[in-house]
C-alpha cells in the first residue's frame, strides 16, 4: 500500500522526469536546491499541476493517468497539504481554520493540545507567530483525516529555535500515523533527521550524488546557474 | 420640492444595488480567474457602459426594450407588461448603466486574494462553488461593499439614460435628477436648490465610506 508517481513535464529551465513511491507510515524526503522541481512534484501529487505524461496512483486508486485521460481533482484526493508559506484563511480564527474541513470538530481541540496552540484558538492568523501559524496549518491538514500528507518546506520561514521544536514535533507525529508523508526541504539536517527515505531532486531528476557533492562542497560539479540558484545549506546547526 | 421623485430615486438605487451586486459577483469572479477565448473582448464589452454617452446607451435600450425590440418582445411573450416608461424599465437601464462599477471593484478584490488560499481550499475538499462562498466572498468584503456603494451612487446620479428609457412620469419614473432638471426648466430655482442640496451629504458620506474601505483593505 503506497503512493506512486511517475511524471514528465516540460518546465521553463529543464524537463521534469521523475518517479517516486512512498509506502504507508513512511516519510519520503525530497531534497535539493531551490528551483529544482520539488514543489512542482508535490503540486502534481496534489492535483494542482498536471504532468504532460505520467501515472499517479494511491493504493488501488488511479489519481492521474495521461494514457487514459484520468485526472482526479485535488478535492477528491483527500490530502493534507502544508504549503511553504502560510495559507491559513485570514477571515477565520485558528480554531475555525483547523476545523475548516475537519471530519470531527472535537478532534481539533486534541490536535491543538498536541501542538501546544490550544490557548490561541480564538486568535486570527495575523495575530500569532509564524511557528504558531504553521502548527495550525498542520492541524488543519490532519483534521480532515488525509490519506496522504504533503509538507512543502513547512519550516523554511521559521527561526532556528522554532524550527528545531517543530522538527521534533513532526518526528513524534510521524510515529503515530499510518499514511505516507512526502516532505520537501533544502535542509540536509532536516532530511536526515526526519526521513525514512531521501530522494535528492536536481533540475527535475533524481540525483543520488547530490547530497555527497553538496556536503563535500565540490562546487566544480555544480553548474553555475544551479549554484547561483541554490541557497547555502544550513549545516551550522 | 418633489418628494415622490426622491422616493423613486431611492427605490431605484436600492433595487439596482441589490440585484447588480448579486449578479455581478460570479461574473467578476470569472473575469478574475477563468481563462477562456475572447476574454479581453468580453471584458471590454462589460466596461463599455462606462465609456458610452448615457444617451447612446439609452437610445439602444429604447430600441431593444420597445414593443418591437428583441428584449421587449421576449418580455411581452413571457407575460410581462411593456418595459418602456415603467419602473421596471428604468431598473433595467440602471442595471446596465452601472455594470462596470459593480464588476471592477469586485474583480480587483477577488484578484487580491492569495491564489494559494484558494488552492488550499480545493485541497481541503471544497468545490469551486463552495470555495467561492466560504473563502472568496468572506475575504473580499471591502471590495463588495465598495461595489455596492459605487453602484448606489451611480444609480442616484443617473439622468440621460433614465430620461430616454423612462421619461418623466411622476410617481413612476421621475427620479430626483430629472425632477431637478424640470424644476430649473420651469424656473423653480428654490425647489431645484433644495433637491440638489440634499444630494451632497449623501454622496459625500458614501464616498468617504469607499475611501475608508480602500484604506482598510
Amino acid at each position: 500500500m503506497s503512493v506512486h508517481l511517475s511524471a514528465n513535464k516540460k518546465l521553463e529551465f529543464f524537463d521534469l522526469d521523475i518517479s517516486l513511491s512512498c509506502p504507508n507510515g513512511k516519510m519520503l524526503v525530497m531534497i535539493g536546491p531551490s528551483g529544482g522541481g520539488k514543489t512542482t512534484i508535490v503540486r502534481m501529487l496534489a492535483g494542482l499541476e498536471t504532468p504532460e505524461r505520467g501515472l499517479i496512483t494511491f493504493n488501488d486508486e488511479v489519481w492521474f493517468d495521461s494514457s487514459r485521460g484520468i485526472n482526479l481533482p485535488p478535492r477528491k484526493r483527500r490530502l493534507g497539504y502544508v504549503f511553504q508559506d502560510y495559507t491559513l484563511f485570514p477571515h477565520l480564527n485558528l480554531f475555525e481554520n483547523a476545523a475548516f474541513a475537519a471530519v470531527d470538530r472535537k478532534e481539533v481541540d486534541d490536535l491543538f493540545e498536541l501542538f501546544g496552540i490550544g490557548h490561541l484558538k480564538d486568535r486570527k492568523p495575523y495575530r500569532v507567530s509564524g511557528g504558531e501559524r504553521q502548527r495550525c496549518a498542520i492541524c488543519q491538514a490532519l483534521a480532515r483525516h488525509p490519506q496522504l500528507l504533503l509538507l512543502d518546506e513547512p519550516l523554511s520561514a521559521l527561526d532556528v529555535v522554532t524550527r528545531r521544536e517543530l522538527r521534533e514535533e513532526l518526528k513524534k507525529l510521524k510515529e503515530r500515523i499510518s499514511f505516507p508523508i512526502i516532505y520537501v526541504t533544502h535542509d540536509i539536517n532536516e532530511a536526515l533527521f526526519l526521513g525514512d527515505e531521501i530522494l535528492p531532486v536536481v533540475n527535475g531528476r533524481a540525483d543520488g550524488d547530490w547530497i555527497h557533492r553538496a556536503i563535500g562542497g565540490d562546487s566544480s560539479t555544480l553548474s553555475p546557474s544551479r549554484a547561483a540558484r541554490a541557497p547555502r545549506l544550513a549545516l551550522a546547526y | 420640492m418633489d418628494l415622490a421623485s426622491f422616493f423613486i430615486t431611492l427605490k431605484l438605487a436600492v433595487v439596482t444595488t441589490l440585484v447588480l451586486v448579486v449578479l455581478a459577483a460570479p461574473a467578476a469572479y470569472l473575469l478574475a480567474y477563468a481563462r477562456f477565448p475572447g476574454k479581453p473582448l468580453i471584458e471590454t464589452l462589460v466596461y463599455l457602459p462606462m465609456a458610452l454617452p448615457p444617451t447612446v446607451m439609452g437610445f439602444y435600450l429604447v430600441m431593444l426594450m420597445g414593443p418591437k425590440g428583441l428584449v421587449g418582445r421576449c418580455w411581452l411573450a413571457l407575460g410581462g407588461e411593456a418595459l418602456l416608461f415603467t419602473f421596471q424599465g428604468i431598473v433595467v437601464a440602471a442595471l446596465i448603466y452601472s455594470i462596470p462599477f459593480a464588476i471592477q471593484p469586485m474583480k480587483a478584490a477577488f484578484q487580491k486574494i492569495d491564489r494559494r488560499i484558494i488552492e488550499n481550499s480545493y485541497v481541503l475538499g471544497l468545490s469551486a462553488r463552495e470555495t467561492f462562498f466560504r473563502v472568496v466572498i468572506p475575504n473580499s468584503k471591502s471590495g463588495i461593499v465598495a461595489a455596492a456603494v459605487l453602484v448606489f451612487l451611480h444609480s442616484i446620479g443617473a439622468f440621460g439614460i433614465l430620461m430616454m428609457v423612462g421619461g418623466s412620469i411622476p410617481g413612476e419614473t421621475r427620479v430626483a435628477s430629472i425632477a431637478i432638471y424640470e424644476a430649473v426648466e420651469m424656473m423653480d430655482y428654490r425647489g431645484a436648490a433644495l433637491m440638489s442640496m440634499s444630494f451632497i451629504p449623501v454622496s459625500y458620506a458614501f464616498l468617504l465610506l469607499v475611501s475608508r474601505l480602500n484604506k482598510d483593505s
Side-chain angles (χ1 to χ4, degrees), chain B residues 96-109:
Chain B
I96 292 173
Y97 183 52
S98 296
I99 285 175
F101 296 86
I103 299 267
Q104 223 166 22
M106 284 201 267
K107 185 189 153 201

Side-chain angles (χ1 to χ4, degrees), chain A residues 8-218:
Chain A
N8 284 279
K9 188 176 173 102
K10 209 170 170 52
L11 301 180
E12 200 180 345
F13 297 111
F14 50 81
D15 290 346
L16 188 103
D17 181 4
I18 198 94
S19 163
L20 62 86
S21 57
C22 180
N24 284 343
K26 297 285 179 200
M27 184 188 280
L28 171 73
V29 177
M30 270 194 279
I31 189 166
S34 299
K38 303 186 297 296
T39 294
T40 308
I41 296 166
V42 171
R43 288 174 61 84
M44 283 173 175
L45 283 165
L48 297 169
E49 199 102 30
T50 312
E52 273 152 25
R53 275 173 293 117
L55 177 71
I56 304 173
T57 57
F58 183 84
N59 296 344
D60 303 330
E61 292 172 31
V62 178
W63 283 359
F64 179 85
D65 185 349
S66 54
S67 63
R68 285 191 285 164
I70 297 174
N71 189 10
L72 207 64
R75 68 194 170 94
K76 297 211 169 134
R77 298 189 183 192
R78 200 151 68 80
L79 302 162
Y81 187 171
V82 178
F83 294 72
Q84 231 162 30
D85 298 304
Y86 322 114
T87 47
L88 295 177
F89 303 110
H91 65 296
L92 299 175
N93 63 28
L94 292 198
F95 183 87
E96 290 302 329
N97 257 292
F100 190 80
V103 175
D104 178 0
R105 286 171 69 92
K106 285 178 213 140
E107 276 179 19
V108 175
D109 283 315
D110 299 338
L111 283 167
F112 270 31
E113 287 311 313
L114 185 71
F115 282 91
I117 50 171
H119 58 295
L120 300 170
K121 60 184 185 181
D122 295 328
R123 295 246 187 119
K124 289 274 177 68
Y126 66 89
R127 290 196 52 220
V128 300
S129 72
E132 287 155 353
R133 276 197 288 263
Q134 265 335 47
R135 284 186 172 92
C136 179
I138 294 168
C139 293
Q140 185 187 56
L142 292 175
R144 77 166 308 220
H145 292 187
Q147 51 183 1
L148 167 67
L149 184 59
L150 304 170
L151 301 169
D152 187 357
E153 297 195 31
L155 313 182
S156 63
L158 307 176
D159 64 87
V160 177
V161 177
T162 316
R163 213 172 159 144
R164 255 195 217 157
E165 282 170 14
L166 210 46
R167 203 167 67 176
E168 299 281 349
E169 287 168 34
L170 284 175
K171 178 121 178 164
K172 273 186 223 148
L173 175 77
K174 201 186 83 175
E175 277 142 29
R176 293 162 51 124
I177 57 173
S178 56
F179 46 79
I181 305 178
I182 311 276
Y183 190 98
V184 170
T185 183
H186 54 249
D187 181 332
I188 290 181
N189 276 0
E190 224 166 84
L192 295 173
F193 183 77
L194 287 168
D196 295 305
E197 200 181 323
I198 296 179
L199 175 69
V201 178
V202 179
N203 285 350
R205 285 162 204 271
D207 181 351
D209 293 334
W210 183 81
I211 294 185
H212 177 71
R213 290 203 309 277
I215 293 176
D218 182 4

Side-chain angles (χ1 to χ4, degrees), chain B residues 12 16 20 49 54 57-62 65 71 83-100 151 154-155 158-167 173:
Chain B
L12 176 70
T16 307
L20 202 50
M57 297 280 308
F59 171 73
Y60 283 113
L61 286 179
V62 167
M65 286 158 64
V71 178
L83 275 174
L84 290 182
F85 308 110
T86 63
F87 182 73
Q88 290 98 300
I90 61 170
V91 169
V92 174
L95 285 174
I96 292 173
Y97 183 52
S98 296
I99 285 175
V151 169
H154 199 232
S155 305
F159 175 78
I161 193 167
L162 301 186
M163 189 81 144
M164 301 278 284
V165 173
T173 62

Side-chain angles (χ1 to χ4, degrees), chain B residues 8 15 23 72 95 103 124 146 151 203:
Chain B
I8 302 283
V15 172
L23 292 183
L95 285 174
I103 299 267
L124 287 168
V151 169
S203 301

